[in-house]
Amino acid sequence: MIELYLFLVFTIIAAIVATEIKDLLAAVISLGAVGFSVAIIFVLIQAPDLAIVQIVIEVLTIVIFVAVILRTTHIDETIGKKLSGTHIFSIVLYAVFALLFLIVIFRSFQEMPDFGNPIMRVASEYIRLGLPQTGGANIVADVILDFRALDTLGEATVLFTAVIGVVALMRKSGRKK
Amino acid sequence: MSTRQGMSLIVKTVTNIIVGFIFIYGVYIILHGHLTPGGGFAGGVIIAGAFILRFLAFGSGAKSEKKSLNTASMFESAGGILFIGIAILGLLLAGTFFLNFLPKGTPFYLLSAGIIPLCNIAISIKVGAGLFSIFLALAAMKYVMED
């Protein structure tokens, strides 16, 4: 399990670098490091389906980010400036709420079951009935396309709405000259 | 087609060689979605990645971009209709939305698991065309800005 913790720490460090670095291209590369180490973590906790999706989505987002940055600007001008009063106030407020959240979550984490033992019984039912009832060997496909296909329909609708939103925002016709 | 469009000759040659393999790998991921890790979503994104790679390497004009965007939007809607059509077919044939009405077949064979492979294909068309049309819309923004 030591490699899992290694990658978790690496993910956190890369995320901090991505927010704090001044060159935006370097920040995007750091964000890519976050995404790929999350993909490796998915492999380590035995979720290859998620790892495949994570890798391809990460590549796509990095390509889009790099294309945008190459056409606009490299430098993040907000980093390194002197903090104003409202900035310091919001940082303090954030720290207080984060501390409260950690105190509350610490108690509930102690009551969580061990890794690999889900709280809900429905998971073991899916594993038991997956192959005999649907005939699909990949249990993930059985769940998302047979037992819970309606959820997948909702997910597809979300993606459809996102595409409609982007195409409508970026359209040429109807734009005011 | 002018040679100045898109990236350098090296990138174009490598893209020409590799883009077919990426496409085939996406199709493999989709068709084996009910047997191995992967499925419609991942395979669709890989196919969209193949199209985006080709698009980035070779470039294109405003007119063909508009045409590709229309085609991609059409494919995305077709994928969505196919997915809902499979669901409604279950409702008509046996009375339950999303019922697995096809025979289950032998597990671990390519033709098994009833409607799950069909749903994977529908989702892959929808996701791949959707992501590619998002990319095309963002790329076409350049021409809107220039006008």
Side-chain angles (χ1 to χ4, degrees):
Chain A
M1 251 355 194
I2 184 76
E3 65 270 22
L4 178 62
Y5 287 104
L6 232 98
F7 276 108
L8 281 174
V9 170
F10 177 73
T11 312
I12 293 169
I13 292 171
I16 292 170
V17 168
T19 54
E20 289 301 323
I21 208 159
K22 210 173 164 79
D23 189 346
L24 281 176
L25 207 56
V28 167
I29 290 165
S30 197
L31 198 66
V34 172
F36 282 110
S37 59
V38 167
I40 292 170
I41 288 168
F42 281 143
V43 173
L44 287 177
I45 59 176
Q46 294 170 13
D49 287 81
L50 279 175
I52 292 172
V53 174
Q54 173 72 22
I55 288 171
V56 283
I57 286 287
E58 199 58 42
V59 170
L60 263 187
T61 42
I62 287 175
V63 165
I64 290 177
F65 270 135
V66 169
V68 169
I69 284 171
L70 287 182
R71 274 181 197 156
T72 53
T73 176
H74 271 253
I75 308 298
D76 186 356
E77 281 155 359
T78 55
I79 289 172
K81 273 191 178 165
K82 238 184 130 196
L83 291 176
S84 63
T86 45
H87 260 113
I88 294 168
F89 177 69
S90 54
I91 288 171
V92 169
L93 210 62
Y94 171 76
V96 168
F97 273 104
L99 201 69
L100 277 176
F101 175 75
L102 284 178
I103 290 168
V104 173
I105 208 83
F106 182 69
R107 291 182 65 111
S108 54
F109 269 167
Q110 282 179 327
E111 302 194 352
M112 287 229 316
D114 287 339
F115 183 74
N117 299 315
I119 305 170
M120 289 194 283
R121 305 272 161 71
V122 68
S124 54
E125 286 294 298
Y126 286 153
I127 292 169
R128 197 165 60 80
L129 298 174
L131 191 57
Q133 283 205 349
T134 67
N138 181 7
I139 194 85
V140 178
D142 294 348
V143 173
I144 66 169
L145 291 176
D146 196 306
F147 292 123
R148 310 208 61 109
L150 208 58
D151 290 356
T152 309
L153 182 62
E155 190 192 354
T157 315
V158 169
L159 187 74
F160 191 70
T161 318
V163 174
I164 288 177
V166 171
V167 173
L169 276 176
M170 300 292 171
R171 75 196 187 282
K172 197 173 180 182
S173 51
R175 188 175 281 268
K176 271 186 188 157
K177 287 275 159 18
Chain B
M1 192 177 129
S2 69
T3 48
R4 265 182 297 161
Q5 248 185 2
M7 297 189 187
S8 69
L9 184 66
I10 299 170
V11 178
K12 283 182 184 172
T13 312
V14 172
T15 304
N16 259 339
I17 295 167
I18 215 169
V19 79
F21 288 110
I22 297 175
F23 192 88
I24 293 288
Y25 183 62
V27 172
Y28 162 78
I29 291 261
I30 293 161
L31 291 185
H32 288 70
H34 55 298
L35 303 175
T36 55
F41 197 89
V45 181
I46 290 171
I47 286 181
F51 277 99
I52 288 172
L53 176 66
R54 208 207 144 276
F55 184 89
L56 282 177
F58 288 91
S60 74
K63 219 169 207 167
S64 70
E65 229 161 76
K66 183 88 191 155
K67 214 172 135 194
S68 313
L69 183 57
N70 285 341
T71 317
S73 305
M74 204 186 72
F75 265 101
E76 203 218 348
S77 311
I81 289 172
L82 197 62
F83 190 44
I84 296 183
I86 292 167
I88 291 177
L89 220 58
L91 185 65
L92 291 180
L93 291 179
T96 313
F97 202 56
F98 270 119
L99 188 83
N100 201 337
F101 57 87
L102 288 174
K104 306 291 178 291
T106 329
F108 298 101
Y109 275 72
L110 192 57
L111 289 177
S112 66
I115 61 165
I116 291 178
L118 294 178
C119 285
N120 265 332
I121 291 168
I123 287 177
S124 69
I125 293 171
K126 204 187 125 38
V127 169
L131 284 178
F132 189 51
S133 57
I134 285 181
F135 177 81
L136 279 175
L138 289 173
M141 192 66 188
K142 187 175 62 176
Y143 302 107
V144 177
M145 292 288 208
E146 278 168 5
D147 282 351

